[in-house]
Amino acid sequence: MFGMKFFILAVFALTSCVAKPTTRELYEEDLKLERQLKLINKPSVNTVKTEYGDIYDCIDFYKQPAFDHALLKSHEFHPEMRPSNMNGLEEVGKEEEKEEGDNEIEVECPHGTVPIRRTTKEDLIRQKTFNQMFDSNIHPLTDSEPGNRVISKYVDMDFGGGFAHFSLYQTPNVHQLQFSSGLIKVSNGTDFIKAGWTVNPTLYGDNRCRKFAYFHTRDQHCFNTNCPGFVIVNNNSPLDYAFPKVSEIAVRIMECRFYIYRDPQNGNWWLVTGKGKKQKALGFWPAKLFTDLAYNADEVYWGGELFTIPNSKTSPMGNGLLIKHVDDPRLYAYARDCSVVDAKTQKAIGVAEVNSEEVTDFDGWYGRRKAHIEKYWGHTIMFGGPAKLIKGN
């Protein structure tokens, strides 16, 4: 079967009455958090503080959290690793007619180290609440992704990955226990990987537009490096970094290309951002972490995603504008030049060249797609809209 998907997603959580914890319970919980912090925050070679107040620890490559995973205790990975056909990756994207403004992301950790955002006690508390909400729901479209709703475009065949150029937005009015994202997702069975931009105040404690990744297997699932698995190789472009510049409606467009790619030589799934000279291989999820994605992907999605609690308004999606002018994607959040990598030939294929399907559980409120003749835009999906009242499942 051949096909492809674009999406808009929203998540709903169930609430319950919980007894107020005792003083002793609070004390024990605090000790538990302190122990977690010691395990999560590895000893650093150097520390970098960003203008937004984030602290990144430069961790020795071989001491990063990924190698706490039981399956990665014995490995032959090293900091010089790159996708086996990195040169080919640089040639996959179509030539652009003009520069729309890629972000330059630098943290400048020493060679042989990798940047990891330092986790605070407050981060752990927010993450615990978020994870309880995020994991307690039932996905209306799939069983593997709890509670999310989506508007997307997808392709269904044998894939070695996919990519798109996403416009970056700091979605307005995103509150606690909500997020708004633009992303690409590759999946097979219950395994999937997502990457893109997100505004997630519960996860990060602010409303900045940040780079993120999320992976899901039969045994674990988490954002970024919040659980062991993602092996970082890049020493100056970390996950969850706040983009220094984002798009402004009718003023400027800032983009980032997100590329999820399976190395055919070893089966590792790479996350690559940017294009041309600014292209960077951030790291990879080793093949041995997966069951279904240990081989190729059979679905690739692009689009927008929302999370919110039930019986309340969602956050806006994208830049908050409802899509009315499909011939002018510059007005909206978009994923352009949506393409996949044929697993057999290792060549890029535009979405328009394969069968595809649009998936949404928002009744078309948030998404539009359009195939453009100009190679700059390729197959483009626009996603976005104002807050919307969603009733619980």
Side-chain angles (χ1 to χ4, degrees), residues 76-264:
E76 296 181 353
F77 303 143
H78 56 84
E80 306 301 327
M81 288 181 67
R82 296 296 182 272
S84 61
N85 72 335
M86 190 69 177
N87 291 333
L89 287 179
E90 293 175 355
E91 297 169 1
V92 164
K94 298 175 176 62
E95 289 294 326
E96 297 191 353
E97 294 179 356
K98 64 179 181 178
E99 188 75 24
E100 289 285 350
D102 277 320
N103 280 265
E104 188 71 32
I105 303 176
E106 296 294 338
V107 172
E108 298 184 7
C109 278
H111 182 75
T113 69
V114 295
I116 298 178
R117 184 172 178 265
R118 185 181 297 177
T119 301
T120 66
K121 189 180 297 184
E122 290 72 23
D123 290 333
L124 285 181
I125 294 170
R126 289 195 312 271
Q127 289 170 18
K128 180 180 179 180
T129 303
F130 179 78
N131 290 338
Q132 288 173 342
M133 291 291 188
F134 191 68
D135 296 342
S136 65
N137 302 285
I138 299 173
H139 196 297
L141 300 176
T142 71
D143 294 330
S144 63
E145 202 173 347
N148 281 354
R149 289 198 173 181
V150 61
I151 288 178
S152 71
K153 176 71 176 178
Y154 95 98
V155 180
D156 188 357
M157 57 183 281
D158 240 6
F159 298 114
F163 66 83
H165 299 259
F166 286 83
S167 57
L168 306 172
Y169 281 97
Q170 188 166 310
T171 307
N173 301 316
V174 182
H175 305 296
Q176 290 294 316
L177 300 180
Q178 293 183 331
F179 68 63
S180 175
S181 305
L183 57 90
I184 179 172
K185 170 186 172 185
V186 300
S187 68
N188 192 339
T190 58
D191 292 345
F192 63 82
I193 298 170
K194 299 177 182 179
W197 63 265
T198 190
V199 176
N200 190 331
T202 312
L203 194 62
Y204 300 113
D206 62 31
N207 286 75
R208 299 192 181 281
C209 176
R210 292 176 179 269
K211 182 171 44 176
F212 87 98
Y214 182 91
F215 83 107
H216 181 286
T217 70
R218 295 181 183 182
D219 300 319
Q220 67 179 142
H221 50 92
C222 69
F223 286 90
N224 306 319
T225 56
N226 288 349
C227 63
F230 185 71
V231 179
I232 304 170
V233 299
N234 195 292
N235 67 320
N236 60 27
S237 188
L239 285 173
D240 59 36
Y241 196 81
F243 288 101
K245 295 181 181 179
V246 295
S247 304
E248 297 181 32
I249 300 172
V251 176
R252 68 181 181 192
I253 297 176
M254 304 300 293
E255 284 188 343
C256 184
R257 185 178 76 153
F258 291 94
Y259 197 143
I260 302 175
Y261 169 74
R262 181 180 181 272
D263 191 324

Side-chain angles (χ1 to χ4, degrees), residues 295-319:
Y295 304 97
N296 296 315
D298 61 5
E299 293 183 338
V300 181
Y301 303 70
W302 303 261
E305 180 180 54
L306 293 178
F307 176 99
T308 196
I309 58 177
N311 300 314
S312 64
K313 280 190 175 182
T314 69
S315 71
M317 176 174 278
N319 60 16

Side-chain angles (χ1 to χ4, degrees), residues 378-392:
H379 202 109
T380 298
I381 176 171
M382 291 158 274
F383 52 93
K388 185 176 181 180
L389 179 64
I390 298 294
K391 294 183 179 181

